[in-house]
Amino acid sequence: MNLLRAASTVSLLTLASRITGLARDTLIAAAFGASAWADAFNVAFRIPNLLRRLFAEGAFSQAFVPLLGETRGREGDDATRRLIDAVATMLFWTLLVTVALGILASPIVVWLMASALQEFDGAVVMTRIMFPYIGFMSLVALAAGVLNTWKRFAVPAATPVLLNVAMILAAWLLVPQFRRWGIEPAYALAVGVMVGGVLQLGIQVPALMRIGCLPRIGLTPARIAAAWHHPGVHRTLQLMLPAVLGVSVAQLSMIINTQIASHVSVGAVSWLFYADRLMEFPTGLLGVALGVVLIPQLSQAHGKGDAASYSAMLDWGLRLVLLLTLPCAAALLVFGTPLIAVLFHRGQFTADDVQMTVLALRGYGVGLIGIVAVKVLAPGFYASLNVRTPVKIAVGVLVLTQVLNAILVPHLGHAALALSISLGATVNALLLFFGLRRRGSYVPSPGWAAFAARVMLATAVMSGALWYAAAQFDWVALGRHEWQRVGWLAACMTGAVLLYFGTLLATGLKFKQFMRRG
């Protein structure tokens, strides 16, 4: 399998997800701006997403996917399918209980997340509507792990588009309809999330049937007991326990930051949300794609004892991180105002909202390389079934992040919350990197110095051009000429991409080095 082609497939489908996600956020920003109701929805939406990252894409995937790859590599497909059935059965019943408790405890959950919300009761209602989303997405994560292990990357990567489409339709059609009915329009967005969850799970079923891996969920006490006694279930739980702690650390940091933001000012939660959405564009395109492709391949290399291939895949991933993330980070730092203005400045999203969001975006830009690098470096531990080391590092980073918040928030406000996350992610990436080096799991291939010099030169050239372009217009005032503003942004970004890669070619960078097979 060509790893670059696989990563490119995931990236292109993730690009579709991010584009539809930006369209979704643009509609929501225009309808609600950075208002108290926008803050309430963003908090309510963050709760199922937080749990999704904690249990579905986080601890569960980190424990289940490497075990799945190792089982398939050592014992074959039949044993792997029995493992899938057992894990799916236990996951289904656990989710049923979790969702029921979550709906009942929604007021407590919202209070822990953002106690200072002006529209606290509205956030509780939306949390109750959206809480079942965690159930759908956890089952989607199981399906994605199976499909990725069978090297079927397209369907899992395309799945998030369905959520965005459902929310776009909700913002476009249901929001005005709810206004006419006298129902709070923000509730329409919560309905859109639930519809999106159903669609995302539904599209997995045909893909799993094609590879003969549609899980058979036990519904009787005997089958549930049999699933519980499967050794793979206990192995998954053993691997999940430290992984839960590790992922919990990251999510605890998000909870604390959201709580702080709710006290900073009305709109702070939304400013951080919109900046985070733009920051996640490169994070999703590259970091998530590389993580999805690398974990199964690294797990199989570990199962076969192929240390050279293991190291070479990590080296390939890190070179792609530097090649594609450094220019993105530079663009967020020097070209933030045009990006935020064109994407969000319309309707209820004011000029002041633009400036506040740009400050948060620059905070994220500082640590973008670290944020993406962690998604390549952490699989280097997970694939070898070592979860404890990343957990220990994550705990230390949580403490560091909150110390930085205590120092910086009084001076920088909401932007300090983004900056602290960035600095913490950078430290996280460095510690993971040196940990892999000490273990001997990663040995850098020759040519890194020349490669890094070329990337930094091309980034400097591109950054200079973007800085000049950003200064030529009042991008906020250009909102009166919407299509002119969009056209100038498209021209600037296209020119920046051509200038960056043109400079790399002129300095002799050979892109064939990234055509790696795994």
Side-chain angles (χ1 to χ4, degrees):
M1 182 184 69
N2 187 310
L3 290 185
L4 181 61
R5 183 178 301 165
S8 297
T9 299
V10 176
S11 288
L12 286 173
L13 292 169
T14 305
L15 175 62
S17 170
R18 290 298 185 261
I19 289 173
T20 53
L22 283 176
R24 174 198 78 190
D25 295 336
T26 297
L27 283 172
I28 293 173
F32 298 97
S35 63
W37 273 105
D39 284 353
F41 170 73
N42 287 327
V43 167
F45 187 37
R46 186 163 289 179
I47 290 167
N49 273 313
L50 183 150
L51 293 173
R52 170 178 61 85
R53 291 174 179 173
L54 177 59
F55 294 111
E57 296 172 359
F60 175 74
S61 292
Q62 290 169 14
F64 179 63
V65 174
L67 182 61
L68 200 63
E70 185 181 85
T71 302
R72 192 182 184 208
R74 291 182 177 178
E75 302 178 36
D77 288 354
D78 289 341
T80 306
R81 290 188 176 99
R82 289 194 293 272
L83 170 64
I84 293 167
D85 290 344
V87 171
T89 296
M90 299 313 303
L91 181 64
F92 174 82
W93 289 105
T94 301
L95 289 171
L96 201 61
V97 174
T98 301
V99 169
L101 292 175
I103 292 173
L104 292 174
S106 288
I108 298 172
V109 174
V110 174
W111 183 83
L112 290 171
M113 193 80 172
S115 60
L117 284 177
Q118 283 193 5
E119 296 295 343
F120 182 89
D121 292 341
V124 170
V125 172
M126 288 186 281
T127 299
R128 283 178 165 152
I129 294 172
M130 291 188 284
F131 214 95
Y133 179 74
I134 178 59
F136 293 118
M137 294 313 300
S138 296
L139 294 173
V140 167
L142 181 142
V146 173
L147 292 169
N148 290 335
T149 300
W150 261 257
K151 299 179 182 178
R152 304 294 198 275
F153 298 109
V155 170
T159 297
V161 174
L162 297 174
L163 171 66
N164 295 331
V165 170
M167 292 185 68
I168 287 170
L169 292 175
W172 184 27
L173 300 176
L174 284 184
V175 165
Q177 191 63 46
F178 273 37
R179 282 199 177 102
R180 284 193 287 271
W181 291 340
I183 302 172
E184 171 52 46
Y187 295 161
L189 302 178
V191 173
V193 170
M194 277 302 302
V195 173
V198 173
L199 294 175
Q200 286 180 95
L201 182 58
I203 199 176
Q204 310 296 314
V205 174
L208 290 170
M209 292 177 67
R210 281 194 291 271
I211 61 173
C213 288
L214 183 66
R216 292 174 297 177
I217 296 174
L219 301 178
T220 64
R223 290 191 61 185
I224 296 171
W228 172 248
H229 288 100
H230 189 287
V233 170
H234 293 276
R235 187 85 184 279
T236 301
L237 289 173
Q238 288 171 358
L239 293 171
M240 272 188 71
L241 289 176
V244 165
L245 178 58
V247 179
S248 295
V249 169
Q251 301 311 313
L252 179 59
S253 181
M254 180 185 296
I255 291 172
I256 295 171
N257 280 16
T258 303
Q259 185 69 256
I260 295 171
S262 75
H263 288 269
V264 170
S265 67
V266 173
V269 172
S270 296
W271 298 328
L272 286 164
F273 173 82
Y274 292 121
D276 178 77
R277 297 302 302 162
L278 195 54
M279 180 272 294
E280 284 197 0
F281 208 92
T283 303
L285 289 181
L286 184 59
V288 173
L290 286 175
V292 163
V293 171
L294 282 174
I295 287 181
Q297 304 307 310
L298 288 170
S299 299
Q300 291 184 23
H302 177 260
K304 297 174 182 176
D306 190 349
S309 178
Y310 198 95
S311 176
M313 279 188 277
L314 287 172
D315 192 84
W316 171 80
L318 289 173
R319 288 188 186 232
L320 273 179
V321 168
L322 184 64
L323 177 72
L324 299 178
T325 307
L326 186 60
C328 291
L332 295 184
L333 290 170
V334 304
F335 206 62
T337 298
L339 289 169
I340 296 297
V342 173
L343 289 171
F344 300 123
H345 180 229
R346 59 187 57 81
Q348 299 300 310
F349 201 87
T350 66
D352 182 62
D353 292 332
V354 171
Q355 296 307 316
M356 295 296 102
T357 305
V358 168
L359 291 176
L361 185 64
R362 288 172 180 162
Y364 284 129
V366 169
L368 185 63
I369 292 179
I371 292 169
V372 176
V374 167
K375 296 182 180 297
V376 172
L377 294 165
F381 290 91
Y382 301 141
S384 61
L385 304 180
N386 176 0
V387 183
R388 295 184 183 276
T389 301
V391 168
K392 292 177 181 177
I393 292 173
V395 171
V397 168
L398 171 63
V399 175
L400 173 63
T401 301
Q402 298 314 316
V403 169
L404 290 171
N405 279 341
I407 296 171
L408 298 176
V409 169
H411 304 287
L412 301 178
H414 72 286
L417 299 170
L419 181 59
S420 297
I421 288 175
S422 287
L423 295 175
T426 302
V427 172
N428 195 345
L430 289 172
L431 292 175
L432 289 171
F433 174 81
F434 289 117
L436 289 171
R437 294 283 287 120
R438 281 195 303 271
R439 286 159 44 93
S441 299
Y442 172 54
V443 179
S445 301
W448 258 98
F451 170 71
R454 291 187 177 101
V455 171
M456 287 190 286
L457 174 62
T459 300
V461 172
M462 182 207 73
S463 299
L466 285 178
W467 176 81
Y468 177 81
Q472 297 310 298
F473 305 104
D474 183 341
W475 291 85
V476 175
L478 272 178
R480 295 190 298 269
H481 309 282
E482 184 66 46
W483 290 109
Q484 181 183 355
R485 186 168 65 169
V486 171
W488 277 115
L489 179 70
C492 289
M493 297 307 295
T494 302
V497 170
L498 294 175
L499 188 58
Y500 177 70
F501 285 103
T503 304
L504 288 174
L505 288 171
T507 58
L509 182 68
K510 299 185 184 302
F511 290 96
K512 286 185 178 179
Q513 65 182 285
F514 297 103
M515 299 299 292
R516 174 173 178 80
R517 299 192 68 82

